[in-house]
Amino acid sequence: MVYKIDMGLQETFIENLKFYRKKSGISQKDLSIALNKGFNYINSIECGVSFPPPAIIDEVAGILGIEPETLFSKSASPANILASYSAEFSKSLKEELTVSISREIERICDRIGK
């Protein structure tokens, strides 16, 4: 697993909350209202001013369609997801290019040998 950034628990939570909220197409205001809180409630959490209690974290996760643990997982953060996909894509691309170049060299050698 690739961990690119060293964040604390609250920073990880905030980054993941923003990412999964936006991915779900839910505004801060709409999420706040869905939680029956003031309309700036999620903004205060995402700005690091406040931190929600466990019951609210469970409710937020349910609204976002994720497990509560995902909000605290460094491997679920956007930067680490991107780093993981980049590493995987790089390896895959390298393998594909190696095979393709090898085949082309063989084809050229076969033509020269005839």
Side-chain angles (χ1 to χ4, degrees):
M1 205 156 284
V2 179
Y3 292 125
K4 244 185 130 102
I5 48 182
D6 187 23
M7 295 186 289
L9 190 61
Q10 185 173 3
E11 290 83 11
T12 300
F13 177 87
I14 291 168
E15 183 176 331
N16 289 345
L17 174 60
K18 288 178 185 178
F19 175 73
Y20 289 101
R21 179 183 57 74
K22 290 175 183 177
K23 183 178 176 190
S24 297
I26 300 173
S27 70
Q28 288 180 342
K29 179 181 175 184
D30 290 341
L31 184 53
S32 294
I33 291 168
L35 295 168
N36 202 28
K37 300 289 183 181
F39 87 34
N40 284 324
Y41 182 71
I42 295 300
N43 182 54
S44 71
I45 293 170
E46 289 184 0
C47 289
V49 174
S50 64
F51 196 80
I56 296 294
I57 293 170
D58 285 341
E59 205 172 336
V60 166
I63 292 167
L64 299 178
I66 59 175
E67 293 297 321
E69 308 82 61
T70 302
L71 292 168
F72 294 97
S73 174
K74 288 185 179 188
S75 63
S77 74
N80 288 315
I81 291 171
L82 180 60
S84 176
Y85 282 131
S86 292
E88 191 176 312
F89 179 73
S90 263
K91 182 179 176 186
S92 174
L93 182 59
K94 182 179 178 181
E95 289 170 359
E96 283 184 40
L97 286 172
T98 301
V99 168
S100 182
I101 290 170
S102 294
R103 285 183 185 152
E104 188 62 23
I105 290 172
E106 286 176 18
R107 191 179 66 75
I108 291 170
C109 288
D110 285 347
R111 275 197 335 214
I112 292 173
K114 289 185 180 182

